[in-house]
Amino acid sequence: MLAEQKTIDQHLDPITIGLRPGLEGVPVTQSAICDIDGIKGELKYRGYPIADLAAQSSFLETTYLLIWGNLPSPQQLRDFEREVQMHRRVSFRVRDMMKCFPASGHPMDALQSCAASLGLFYSRRAIDNPQYVYDAVVRLIAKIPTMVAAFQLIRKGQDPIQPRDDLAYSANFLYMLTEREPDPLSARIFDRCLILHAEHSLNASTFSARVTASTLTDPYAVVASAVGTLAGPLHGGANEDVIKMLEDIRLPENSSSYLDKAIAHKQKIMGFGHREYKVKDPRASILQGLAEELFARFGKDEMYDVARALEKEASNRLGAKGIYPNVDFYSGLVYRKLGIPRDLFTPVFAISRVAGWLAHWREQLGANRIFRPSQIYTGVKTRKWKPAEERSTPENS
Ligand code: ACO
């Protein structure tokens, strides 16, 4: 270590002067959108308990609630549903762009590119115009599912299926994805999944959305940056890894030895743990119920018994640290039963979370100050540049 660097380190205790890695416990905004009680295991959108919304609302109604602050009147809901339905199609140029993507690419990367590309088609950055804001919300909510379904067919070498106007939002997505009209139970359960994933305060992707929004860029860039953040395995990408993990464990009786090894090697158990919750995530409990409803109708997924055994064993070992199943633990089992391929689990999460991102986009614009945190510099203070021939090793250059 260089002499100058020692001097810097000696004078600064990062934690004493306010460094909070991962911003844990640091409020960075005020928000009226979502309220979490991580000790009681409660989640509310705009004051409504998540269980009530998941049981009684629809995804589009919940989206309206999140973005505009109140449940819509019947007329407002009809108008919003109709507008979304009218904007479901995506330009042939976006579909052609997807045809140039490698079929082996991850659908989250495809989605991020497509979401960003909407900014090229609707480039007027009139974010202080209420009509522009409404239109952008409608377009993003309407087109993201179409783009996810289109990439799925394109990468199989097929042409995308056009949206069907006689189908509601969730039924239409499953239809475009699986090429057959879903039964009402599957469509309703998928819609409930979208409600459950729609918003969750300042998680990494929503924070990312707010940071991007704070620069006053367009909403398509806001959503594209959030999609990129959601993709990581510590965030939305965990739902894919849960299924991989359950398949590796294979049998319920293997879950104990799997955990022993994972804990000994300090490996994270995917689908467990949450910065906010110290109890089981309320969404995980509801998703588990949805999985059971599907299994009762269409037959059980054998990985469900593995999941339950793992939950029991992991809660015994990790519960004292407040580590329990999060939203990603049971969602993959539901999606699998609905015929959704594993690498589309996170894009499906994005279809839903775009509602929360847009709610935060609007809220950020309502009281904007650009995000620009500070840092504690730990590098060398000043160095004298030398020509290449006078440099020896990097340490003493
Ligand atoms: N398995 C085992 N141990 C865990 C887990 C886990 N899944 N999660 C946290 N821990 C342990 C850590 O090892 C650490 O233990 P230590 O204090 O003895 O070192 C302690 O709990 C704190 O862990 P952090 O990673 O610091 O907790 P943080 O709040 O930063 O992370 C996170 C939260 C990222 C969700 C973490 O629990 C995790 O990585 N979980 C697995 C990935 C996952 O399921 N992500 C989806 C989250 S939900 C969502 O984003 C939609």
Side-chain angles (χ1 to χ4, degrees):
M1 190 185 278
L2 291 171
E4 298 94 322
Q5 194 167 353
K6 272 188 202 145
T7 315
I8 292 165
D9 291 346
Q10 276 161 7
H11 285 90
L12 297 174
D13 170 13
I15 302 297
T16 311
I17 64 166
L19 178 70
R20 295 288 175 270
L23 291 180
E24 181 168 2
V26 179
V28 295
T29 189
Q30 298 190 81
S31 180
I33 301 169
C34 171
D35 190 19
I36 299 169
D37 185 328
I39 304 297
K40 290 191 192 149
E42 288 177 357
L43 167 62
K44 293 178 193 153
Y45 296 167
R46 302 277 188 190
Y48 293 97
I50 190 65
D52 293 353
L53 291 168
Q56 290 162 75
S57 187
S58 68
F59 173 64
L60 285 186
E61 185 181 65
T62 301
T63 297
Y64 191 102
L65 167 72
L66 286 167
I67 297 176
W68 312 109
N70 291 302
L71 284 170
S73 68
Q75 187 58 48
Q76 286 170 324
L77 181 59
R78 272 195 299 277
D79 289 347
F80 186 55
E81 286 172 341
R82 189 174 37 81
E83 296 270 357
V84 168
Q85 187 208 64
M86 280 166 49
H87 286 89
R88 281 172 181 170
R89 283 174 172 69
V90 295
S91 161
F92 72 91
R93 292 190 177 89
V94 176
R95 297 201 300 271
D96 285 353
M97 180 178 81
M98 279 190 243
K99 288 177 187 165
C100 299
F101 293 166
S104 58
H106 196 285
M108 277 301 268
D109 296 329
L111 179 60
Q112 189 181 20
S113 308
C114 292
S117 79
L118 292 180
L120 293 160
F121 294 99
Y122 311 105
S123 60
R124 207 166 56 94
R125 200 173 283 169
I127 53 176
D128 44 6
N129 176 336
Q131 190 59 48
Y132 172 89
V133 170
Y134 186 84
D135 292 347
V137 164
V138 164
R139 283 195 189 105
L140 280 157
I141 297 291
K143 293 184 196 302
I144 295 267
T146 310
M147 295 189 297
V148 171
F151 184 64
Q152 169 63 7
L153 294 198
I154 286 171
R155 69 178 174 164
K156 290 197 290 180
Q158 295 171 229
D159 272 332
I161 296 186
Q162 291 296 337
R164 246 177 61 185
D165 286 349
D166 60 318
L167 293 179
Y169 189 84
S170 287
N172 177 60
F173 170 70
L174 291 176
Y175 161 73
M176 290 188 299
L177 186 73
T178 62
E179 304 170 74
R180 55 190 159 74
E181 188 177 331
D183 63 277
L185 177 72
S186 299
R188 176 62 189 142
I189 285 189
F190 183 71
D191 203 63
R192 294 173 74 187
C193 290
L194 295 185
I195 295 170
L196 292 170
H197 287 84
E199 159 61 8
H200 210 237
S201 79
L202 272 203
N203 55 82
S205 58
T206 303
F207 183 47
S208 187
R210 282 192 89 123
V211 171
T212 308
S214 80
T215 70
L216 305 184
T217 185
D218 67 67
Y220 309 105
V222 169
V223 168
S225 70
V227 170
T229 310
L230 184 69
L234 294 187
H235 193 10
N239 55 13
E240 269 189 55
D241 291 341
V242 168
I243 296 291
K244 279 186 216 150
M245 174 182 72
L246 296 178
E247 285 174 350
D248 283 350
I249 299 173
R250 216 165 41 84
L251 295 168
E253 52 270 34
N254 295 341
S255 55
S256 178
S257 58
Y258 175 88
L259 279 170
D260 287 341
K261 266 193 228 139
I263 292 170
H265 290 94
K266 294 204 169 301
Q267 269 169 23
K268 295 271 181 77
I269 316 300
M270 287 293 129
F272 277 79
H274 201 283
R275 184 68 68 75
E276 295 286 320
Y277 295 113
K278 299 304 159 214
V279 294
K280 185 170 176 178
D281 184 329
R283 300 167 299 172
S285 304
I286 300 172
L287 282 159
Q288 186 174 4
L290 297 183
E292 286 178 359
E293 265 188 67
L294 280 174
F295 300 155
R297 173 76 77 87
F298 301 111
K300 195 158 82 178
D301 184 324
E302 54 191 12
M303 288 301 118
Y304 183 55
D305 289 338
V306 179
R308 281 201 315 174
L310 187 71
E311 177 179 354
K312 189 161 168 268
E313 295 286 345
S315 303
N316 290 341
R317 288 168 168 76
L318 300 170
K321 280 187 177 180
I323 297 166
Y324 289 97
N326 61 46
V327 68
D328 286 328
F329 192 60
Y330 286 107
S331 62
L333 289 173
V334 175
Y335 295 152
R336 214 153 93 129
K337 202 72 203 168
L338 293 173
I340 299 173
R342 189 164 71 193
D343 63 359
L344 290 190
F345 294 174
T346 319
V348 162
F349 192 155
I351 289 175
S352 161
R353 186 54 62 84
V354 72
W357 295 330
L358 291 171
H360 282 269
W361 168 56
R362 285 198 67 238
E363 190 173 63
Q364 182 64 34
L365 294 184
N368 191 47
R369 186 153 192 232
I370 191 168
F371 279 100
R372 205 319 180 178
S374 57
Q375 61 165 23
I376 297 167
Y377 177 66
T378 60
V380 181
K381 202 159 187 187
T382 311
R383 290 202 254 193
K384 191 165 164 28
W385 187 90
K386 290 178 190 166
E389 52 284 8
E390 289 177 27
R391 295 173 208 156
S392 46
T393 58
E395 284 75 26
N396 62 6
S397 61

